[in-house]
């Protein structure tokens, strides 16, 4: 099997697995069901992955990896246009929201797995999460260095908070306020970023 063909097959298996697991849970989802949903033979699943656990672990790497690429690309494109580091953070917020809108089932699984401690892939999940947060942390650190953000900013904690804010806000939006547009949600989070983290002129000091 060629590399391109194998990657296409793995993507089909990822999509089938994430959909089924979101619908009925990890334990209830079988390899047979994943193969059937992906339109491949059961043996194809085991050709690409040693087990269902291995498939799910790679699924987490794949999904969070795509999110990380989206965040990094948003920051780089902003920089190429001459934008500030806070502008780059704002672009990353929008990129994160767009990713979540496009991958709701994966996002639900990801958030659910963050709260579990008995999974064999827990270490992998923490590693890929940190890789995504590190992209935000790097840009935020650059913003501090450039004087765009207060030097008193706790960069690691604030980066994690921004990452978590996007996840929670997006899930809440999709579940309880689906009538809102991406532009509306981004505008609200952008105002929070620009006014508080970015130290915008319109910010008011907390009581």
């Amino acid at each position: 099997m060629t590399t391109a063909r194998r990657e296409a097959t793995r993507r089909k298996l990822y999509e089938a697995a994430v959909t089924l697991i979101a619908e009925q849970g990890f334990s209830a989802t079988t390899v047979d069901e994943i193969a059937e949903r992906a339109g491949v033979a059961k043996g194809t699943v085991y050709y690409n992955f040693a087990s269902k656990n291995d498939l799910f672990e790679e699924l987490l790497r794949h999904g969070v990896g795509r999110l990380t690429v989206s965040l990094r690309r948003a920051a780089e494109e902003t920089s190429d246009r001459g934008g500030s580091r806070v502008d780059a953070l704002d672009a990353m917020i929008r990129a994160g929201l767009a990713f979540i809108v496009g991958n709701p089932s994966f996002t639900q699984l990801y958030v659910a797995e963050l709260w579990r401690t008995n999974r064999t892939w827990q270490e992998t999940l923490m590693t890929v999460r940190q890789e995504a947060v590190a992209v935000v942390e790097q840009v935020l650190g650059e913003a501090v260095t450039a004087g765009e953000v207060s030097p008193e900013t706790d960069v690691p904690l604030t980066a994690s908070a921004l990452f978590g804010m996007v996840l929670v806000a997006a899930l809440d939006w999709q579940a309880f306020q689906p009538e809102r547009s991406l532009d509306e949600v981004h505008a609200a989070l952008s105002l929070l970023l620009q006014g508080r983290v970015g130290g915008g002129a319109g910010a008011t000091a907390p009581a």
Side-chain angles (χ1 to χ4, degrees):
M1 184 180 291
T2 65
T3 300
R5 183 179 175 188
R6 185 175 186 185
E7 284 304 309
T9 298
R10 289 166 75 93
R11 281 196 299 273
K12 288 197 295 184
L13 290 170
Y14 289 146
E15 291 168 4
V18 74
T19 301
L20 285 166
I21 294 170
E23 289 175 355
Q24 57 195 34
F26 178 81
S27 298
T29 300
T30 66
V31 171
D32 288 304
E33 290 173 318
I34 293 172
E36 182 179 358
R37 180 68 66 93
V40 301
K42 181 178 180 179
T44 301
V45 179
Y46 289 114
Y47 176 80
N48 286 275
F49 304 100
S51 65
K52 186 176 71 169
N53 280 10
D54 183 51
L55 167 57
F56 192 70
E57 185 169 341
E58 288 302 313
L59 169 63
L60 291 171
R61 290 183 185 276
H62 174 73
V64 181
R66 286 177 54 217
L67 172 58
T68 302
V69 169
S70 296
L71 297 176
R72 184 178 293 114
R73 182 183 300 121
E76 291 173 349
E77 290 176 350
T78 301
S79 180
D80 290 343
R81 293 194 300 270
S84 69
R85 295 291 80 193
V86 172
D87 290 335
L89 290 169
D90 186 53
M92 294 165 83
I93 286 174
R94 186 179 183 88
L97 290 170
F99 176 87
I100 292 166
V101 170
N103 302 271
S105 294
F106 173 78
T107 305
Q108 291 169 18
L109 287 181
Y110 170 77
V111 172
E113 289 302 318
L114 285 176
W115 296 100
R116 302 183 193 279
T117 58
N118 60 341
R119 301 297 204 189
T120 59
W121 51 76
Q122 191 67 24
E123 184 175 345
T124 295
L125 181 61
M126 293 299 100
T127 298
V128 294
R129 174 201 167 276
Q130 185 52 43
E131 289 172 358
V133 174
V135 177
V136 182
E137 188 174 327
Q138 178 182 345
V139 176
L140 183 59
E142 292 169 355
V144 172
T145 301
E148 298 177 32
V149 174
S150 169
E152 298 179 359
T153 300
D154 183 324
V155 174
L157 184 58
T158 303
S160 293
L162 287 171
F163 185 78
M165 175 185 73
V166 173
L167 281 176
V168 174
L171 290 176
D172 185 87
W173 161 36
Q174 295 293 290
F176 303 111
Q177 304 180 66
E179 72 282 358
R180 290 186 177 274
S181 67
L182 173 60
D183 287 339
E184 286 182 288
V185 178
H186 173 233
L189 298 187
S190 178
L191 184 62
L192 183 63
L193 170 72
Q194 299 286 351
R196 298 298 183 180
V197 177
T204 57

